[in-house]
Amino acid sequence: MDICVIGAGYVGLVTSACLAYLGNHVTAVEASSERLGSLKKGIVPFFEPGLQEFVKETIESGFLTFTDSLEGAVKKADVIFIAVGTPSLPNGEPDLSQVMVVARAIGGALDGSKRRIIVNKSTVPVGSGNWVEMLVSQGVQNAQPVPARSARPESPSFTVVSNPEFLREGSAITDSFYPDRIVVGASDDNAVDVMKNLYKPIINQTFEPPSFAPRPAAFQTVPFVVTDLASAELIKYSANAFLAMKISFANEIAGLCEKVGADVRQVAQGIGLDYRIGKAFLNAGVGWGGSCFGKDVSALMQVAKEYSYPTSLLEATVSVNERQRLVVIKKLQEELKILKGRTVGLLGLSFKPDTDDLRDAPAITIAYQLLKMGASVKAFDPVANERCEQLHPNLEITYCDSALTLAQDCDAVVLVTEWALFRNLDWKGLSKVMRWPLVIDGRNVLSEQDVVDAGMTYRGIGH
Ligand code: UGA
């Protein structure tokens, strides 16, 4: 199939490479000349395990190309994916300006040679399927003003479907090839058939797995869920909101565990074994972050607001998370009493491991708060130091290139992001160079015994 993917960001690029790997001719359209230049050379401008090699491989196979010509790519395509960004506006609503520009441009580029399927892959509010359809029609009309579409047998024919994305940063390729489900919202049976055909190798798991993304043991077929447009849009928001709520629940229980002398890790295990609850996303810590959870929860609240519908659970999900980020500050105060003049080392900056993404990262909130309270902040992230320095020039952090240099002269070290290399640090070595031997485990991933054996004080979350 000929595919056009508009927007070569996280979702667009991964989607493009995966569909190309499955044997489709994919043209990825990227408006930023800087990003386009890198991609044409096979250089991925952000960190995602395996993606660099994968993109290079699919370019070399001839199935993936990059362009800035939306018109040319749309004209060739059978299926057109919209995968541009929808960041949050200050009021919590998503900024749909890129979707708007792209939808109209698609309309302007369509011709009557075949019926196109336009796929909303970007996370967009409920009702956006209809809105995109209207914008594409406007683009069609602006390009070729005619009195009535039906009067032109050659006039462009298209349908809009919603195909939300559920991939996680850090495991984007694996999530794309081995998803829990594929959701397609459509009002057109033919479009559903085309989408099912496109995803057939994934649904039936008939493709040869890439060497770096082996098929998980016992992984079989993937449910293909067909819904109406609005339901597909709501599935995306609800899934992220539910996951965020689950984490906030674990964090709220963590606080209670500390009061009553229980251990949230044991509680999470005990409740997670109930299949109706499930054990994933119950890890208490410094809270959730990233580009999706906060954005999607607030977009969902905005939709509800339009209908004067209360969203108490969503509000609590956000407020528990805001409070949770500062729990480590409280622990530092309990142990060190005064934070003014202290030096605190942050292990990890990215919002989670295996990514250099700093959007809504708890580490940034913690760093700002510590600086506000008069402490000095050092940080070591295996991939995100440089990006943090660029994005937050006013954040007075001393960046370090190892855990040992980080620990030097620190009054406390706080693990914020659970990068694998932090799990087995040489605590004895670190303890020797620290001013005060305090370790706050903001993700409950360290061995308390190892830290204590090194003569240090260990504080976790919820135990
Ligand atoms: C999330 C969803 O998991 C994806 O399904 C979705 O496609 C994606 O958003 C999106 O909308 O694009 P992502 O933001 O990449 O993916 O990261 P997650 O792995 O979901 O983690 C989100 C945050 O929750 C991280 O800060 C992580 O540290 C935190 N977390 C996760 C916890 O604090 N505890 C947990 O138990 C799990």
Side-chain angles (χ1 to χ4, degrees):
M1 238 182 261
D2 272 308
I3 309 288
C4 162
V5 178
I6 302 170
Y10 234 103
V11 168
L13 189 56
V14 175
T15 304
S16 300
C18 289
L19 291 175
Y21 180 83
L22 297 177
N24 300 288
H25 290 279
V26 180
T27 309
V29 182
E30 175 53 50
S32 148
S33 53
E34 197 188 333
R35 186 171 275 232
L36 183 66
S38 301
L39 290 170
K40 278 185 167 169
K41 287 185 231 148
I43 300 166
V44 174
F46 50 84
F47 179 79
E48 172 66 34
L51 191 59
Q52 172 82 52
E53 302 72 30
F54 191 42
V55 165
K56 224 167 172 180
E57 210 176 278
T58 41
I59 293 174
E60 280 162 12
S61 72
F63 284 98
L64 176 61
T65 49
F66 295 96
T67 181
D68 56 1
S69 164
L70 182 143
E71 189 176 348
V74 164
K75 282 204 158 62
K76 265 197 316 191
D78 304 298
V79 180
I80 301 154
F81 283 86
I82 300 177
V84 292
T86 52
S88 275
L89 289 166
N91 68 356
E93 282 176 33
D95 177 355
L96 299 175
S97 55
Q98 292 182 57
V99 176
M100 188 157 108
V101 169
V102 161
R104 287 208 177 110
I106 293 172
L110 287 181
D111 58 29
S113 61
K114 51 186 164 184
R115 182 166 170 77
R116 279 17 178 265
I117 295 172
I118 299 170
V119 185
N120 258 343
K121 197 81 176 160
S122 300
T123 302
V124 287
V126 181
S128 296
N130 302 344
W131 180 68
V132 166
E133 189 175 327
M134 178 192 81
L135 293 167
V136 176
S137 299
Q138 286 172 357
V140 170
Q141 277 156 22
N142 293 344
Q144 299 165 293
V146 286
R149 247 215 258 170
S150 55
R152 283 190 302 151
E154 80 289 2
S155 60
S157 160
F158 70 91
T159 187
V160 176
V161 310
S162 167
N163 173 214
E165 185 52 66
F166 302 107
L167 61 82
R168 288 162 301 171
E169 292 185 20
S171 54
I173 302 172
T174 306
D175 287 351
S176 300
F177 281 130
Y178 313 110
D180 292 331
R181 76 295 206 192
I182 292 170
V183 173
V184 169
S187 52
D188 175 327
D189 289 347
N190 183 48
V192 171
D193 289 344
V194 173
M195 293 301 287
K196 193 166 186 179
N197 205 23
L198 178 63
Y199 284 120
K200 209 167 169 181
I202 295 180
I203 295 170
N204 297 333
Q205 289 292 301
T206 49
F207 64 92
E208 188 63 42
S211 55
F212 56 88
R215 184 170 288 124
F219 191 88
Q220 289 181 339
T221 54
V222 175
F224 184 75
V225 181
V226 179
T227 69
D228 56 72
L229 269 168
S231 300
E233 289 161 348
L234 206 52
I235 285 171
K236 168 70 193 188
Y237 281 119
S238 309
N240 274 354
F242 189 85
L243 292 170
M245 184 182 72
K246 216 175 160 190
I247 301 166
S248 283
F249 178 83
N251 283 330
E252 186 159 283
I253 295 297
L256 196 55
C257 283
E258 290 186 10
K259 300 280 175 218
V260 302
D263 184 334
V264 72
R265 296 165 301 183
Q266 294 175 19
V267 175
Q269 191 196 13
I271 65 172
L273 284 168
D274 183 330
Y275 79 96
R276 295 168 301 174
I277 296 173
K279 59 182 194 282
F281 278 63
L282 282 177
N283 300 325
V286 292
W288 45 265
S291 66
C292 306
F293 282 3
K295 173 173 83 83
D296 292 355
V297 173
S298 72
L300 202 49
M301 291 196 284
Q302 284 298 326
V303 172
K305 211 167 153 189
E306 285 174 22
Y307 296 86
S308 305
Y309 185 75
T311 48
S312 325
L313 274 176
L314 300 179
E315 281 160 33
T317 298
V318 173
S319 68
V320 167
N321 196 52
E322 282 168 357
R323 191 179 66 200
Q324 194 65 21
R325 287 189 180 187
L326 300 178
V327 158
V328 291
I329 306 274
K330 255 195 172 162
K331 289 181 190 287
L332 287 168
Q333 284 178 317
E334 280 163 16
E335 294 293 331
L336 301 172
K337 310 300 175 199
I338 307 280
L339 294 188
K340 274 192 185 49
R342 303 282 193 182
T343 302
V344 178
L346 304 182
L347 283 169
L349 289 166
S350 56
F351 83 96
K352 66 174 201 175
D354 296 326
T355 175
D356 59 354
D357 199 336
L358 290 158
R359 285 175 288 179
D360 200 20
I364 306 298
T365 313
I366 294 167
Y368 271 114
Q369 186 61 25
L370 286 168
L371 291 169
K372 203 168 133 195
M373 296 175 88
S376 294
V377 178
K378 297 173 81 179
F380 164 50
D381 187 288
V383 301
N385 276 2
E386 210 175 304
R387 179 168 276 217
C388 192
E389 213 168 349
Q390 279 167 5
L391 293 177
H392 299 278
N394 299 328
L395 198 54
E396 285 179 27
I397 289 182
T398 304
Y399 294 95
C400 305
D401 56 10
S402 72
L404 192 64
T405 48
L406 177 91
Q408 187 81 46
D409 297 329
C410 274
D411 296 289
V413 161
V414 181
L415 184 141
V416 186
T417 316
E418 67 277 33
W419 284 93
L421 92 151
F422 297 157
R423 289 177 191 239
N424 294 304
L425 291 174
D426 167 19
W427 293 110
K428 284 200 173 102
L430 264 55
S431 152
K432 279 191 194 126
V433 298
M434 288 177 71
R435 202 155 46 199
W436 189 256
L438 171 63
V439 176
I440 311 274
D441 181 1
R443 295 287 184 180
N444 285 346
V445 292
L446 301 176
S447 153
E448 179 170 359
Q449 198 57 50
D450 287 354
V451 175
V452 171
D453 286 350
M456 306 173 93
T457 303
Y458 172 94
R459 293 286 306 266
I461 307 279
H463 61 98

